[in-house]
Amino acid sequence: MNPADNIERKVEQLHITTRAETDKRILDDAFVALEKSAKEQSPHAGPGRSTWRRTLRIRIAELAAVAAVVLVIFALFFGTPAGAVTFGQVYQAMGLVRNICVTNFIVDRLETTQQIWSSLTMNIKLYKSTKQGETEYVLWDFPNRRTMSVSSGLVKTNDISADKYAQKEKILTFVTGLIPITDINDVREGSQWNRVEDPNVLAIVPGTEVYDFTYPQKSITGTGGIRFNKWRYFVDPFTYLPKRVEYYTKLKTEFISEEKYRFRKFYVVTYPTENQIRTLIHNEFGSAALQPRDPGHIGTQPN
């Protein structure tokens, strides 16, 4: 894809629209100023003046479009106002992560609901969950095409099905809950990215900048209403990686009109090294985990 295509895609992603009245006013003002300057330089304009006016208007429109593209690209990658982190930067930074740990929480519940480690460098995914007071680990070991689970000290091993193995890239790279889209081209119309300045919010994760990503979505309840989603990111301003992500919703239907967002769940995010993940797996599953599996003896078939 060439740079021009990239620019067009970035412009489309922001869904920027202008009113015809605004465009006309800007062009007319620019035209008057340029025509005045032209008169001062050449007061005896000939019959080609109307053609010059049309050509000038077209050129001004083209220049305005170029200027708009420059401003869009600047806003997407460098932030507006200056120094702010953009959604594009967070999305790109997340795409470069190779090892991550996400801890899921439900609001008003003290215990975690699930903890997930994902490693692209090792091709594994590890889940930790608690059921009825019992902690269970489940390891998806794609290099060995097997899953291993451990609970109450008992280790079980099963093969990964061909269908699941075929989906391994999606399973490894898709981190549930952190980014509500899997492709930046899927950004919905009406989406907004706004910086949060509330000192009480900023104090939750010191040293981070906080941004709200909001967008409307048709309700899945069948009532014909709209659900408004808000993802709040506590972002490291140097790496652009989130340290905490919160999820809120509010609903507007024929019967319900929620004015405030309801806090639903949140995620605590860390970025461990590969060695740290290996140590955890070794401690929970033993030294045999992640070792190449024994293919077993394959006998020769009789003639």
Side-chain angles (χ1 to χ4, degrees), residues 12-30:
E12 292 174 355
Q13 290 161 14
L14 295 180
H15 304 285
I16 293 178
T17 58
T18 58
R19 295 186 304 171
E21 295 84 354
T22 303
D23 294 339
K24 184 177 183 302
R25 176 174 56 80
I26 294 173
L27 292 176
D28 286 342
D29 290 346

Side-chain angles (χ1 to χ4, degrees), residues 88-103:
Q89 288 172 319
V90 173
Y91 182 89
Q92 289 181 349
M94 290 298 296
L96 297 176
V97 169
R98 291 296 175 263
N99 298 288
I100 190 171
C101 175
V102 181
T103 306

Side-chain angles (χ1 to χ4, degrees), residues 147-167:
T147 63
M148 301 179 68
S149 63
V150 58
S151 179
S152 302
L154 180 62
V155 178
K156 296 180 181 179
T157 302
N158 293 292
D159 292 335
I160 295 178
S161 67
D163 291 340
K164 288 293 184 181
Y165 187 81
Q167 301 174 26

Side-chain angles (χ1 to χ4, degrees), residues 47 50 63 80 88 91 101 106 137 145 161 171 211 213 218 223 235 242 260 273 276-277 291:
S50 60
L63 292 173
T80 301
Y91 182 89
C101 175
I106 300 296
Y137 286 88
R145 296 197 176 205
S161 67
I171 294 173
Y211 298 87
F213 178 56
K218 289 184 179 179
T223 59
V235 180
K260 295 183 178 181
T273 64
Q276 289 173 326
I277 298 177
Q291 296 297 323

